Amino acid sequence: DAEDELRHVRRLRDGSDVDAFVLIATDHGDPRIEWLTDNGVPFVSFGRPWGAELDEPRHRWVDVDGRAGVREATEALQRQGARRVAFIGWPSPSGTGDERRAGWDEASIIPAGDRSRYSRATEDGVAEGTTAAEALLTMPDAPDAIICASDSLALGALMAARAAGLRDLPVVGFDNTPVAAAVGLSSIDQPLDEVVEAALTLLFGDSGSDVLPNPDSDEEPTHRLLVPRLVERRSS
């Protein structure tokens, strides 16, 4: 967990083994971010400072706009004729998960009062995705498409749809994993090469060799929000 990781961060820093850190999987009130910022240790994170000011000048971050990605996928399914696009995501608060659900909510043409019926929150996993999709597909006015916050959830939803005899039910995941490509699952692709390039550029600056100190309030914006893209395959 974050506290255990922070113990390793302190050990590495105290031993002068590292000059800077790249964090992943940021969360609300992330203690790693607070410690690195307060101690002036250079770092950049893949993930926003959830629950804090996004333009905090002392925190460099790179993230993928999950809201935009899910919004694009929802709109694409609706253009194909889907009228009841459901969403399976993670329990709130989850910075990344809440953003992805917000994209679905913004694009959905389901009446606002009915959207909660077409949304499920569960822990990540194939089995969990199957269970959530089964509940959705037994509704009297069942969804005619499903978007998930991850490929694992989407794979489970795809299995549930096929078990119910709905082999043509569109299903879309998120992350565009190799498994998604192997089974023909449509998915929202994160531009990870661009993420890495942006993170290292923020950390090393134009020189590409000297680690920059954490920025202060006088510097230019030090974050990058990248746009994902929908990769369509057989499942949609």
Side-chain angles (χ1 to χ4, degrees):
D1 58 21
E3 289 293 345
D4 182 59
E5 188 171 333
L6 184 54
R7 283 192 288 273
H8 289 286
V9 167
R10 289 171 176 151
R11 176 180 58 80
L12 290 168
R13 184 60 180 177
D14 290 345
S16 300
D17 296 316
V18 299
D19 299 308
F21 291 88
V22 178
L23 305 181
I24 64 170
T26 56
D27 204 351
H28 288 270
D30 197 313
R32 302 170 303 168
I33 293 174
E34 181 179 1
W35 188 88
L36 290 168
T37 301
D38 291 345
N39 286 273
V41 179
F43 76 100
V44 61
S45 70
F46 177 27
R48 280 167 265 186
W50 304 108
E53 292 294 333
L54 295 186
D55 59 353
E56 162 59 59
R58 297 181 299 163
H59 178 184
R60 302 184 189 93
W61 58 265
V62 181
D63 206 0
V64 175
D65 193 345
R67 181 188 296 231
V70 174
R71 185 169 58 238
E72 177 193 357
T74 305
E75 292 170 346
L77 291 170
Q78 289 170 169
R79 285 194 300 270
Q80 294 171 12
R83 289 296 173 262
R84 297 183 302 278
V85 180
F87 181 80
I88 301 175
W90 305 312
S92 185
S94 163
T96 301
D98 292 347
E99 277 287 291
R100 294 178 186 182
R101 187 192 184 283
W104 167 78
D105 193 51
E106 290 174 356
S108 177
I109 59 174
I110 298 172
D114 291 336
R115 281 181 208 155
S116 61
R117 297 173 52 235
Y118 289 90
S119 176
R120 293 290 187 276
T122 183
E123 297 302 321
D124 200 40
V126 176
E128 290 79 1
T130 298
T131 300
E134 287 173 345
L136 288 165
L137 296 175
T138 56
M139 294 168 54
D141 45 353
D144 50 14
I146 299 176
I147 296 178
C148 298
S150 73
D151 283 345
S152 296
L153 291 172
L155 182 58
L158 193 63
M159 295 168 63
R162 290 179 175 176
L166 302 171
R167 299 187 66 85
D168 293 330
L169 182 81
V171 176
V172 176
F174 201 113
D175 286 331
N176 195 30
T177 58
V179 172
V183 302
L185 175 67
S186 296
S187 187
I188 300 163
D189 182 60
Q190 301 201 63
L192 295 182
D193 287 347
E194 294 178 37
V195 168
V196 173
E197 181 179 1
L200 294 179
T201 298
L202 290 175
L203 195 57
F204 289 100
D206 295 334
S207 72
S209 58
D210 298 322
V211 175
L212 299 176
N214 287 336
D216 58 36
S217 58
D218 295 326
E219 296 199 23
E220 294 296 319
T222 52
H223 61 266
R224 304 284 189 276
L225 187 60
L226 307 176
V227 179
R229 65 184 182 92
L230 174 63
V231 178
E232 296 189 85
R233 299 189 177 97
R234 292 191 308 273
S235 74
S236 68

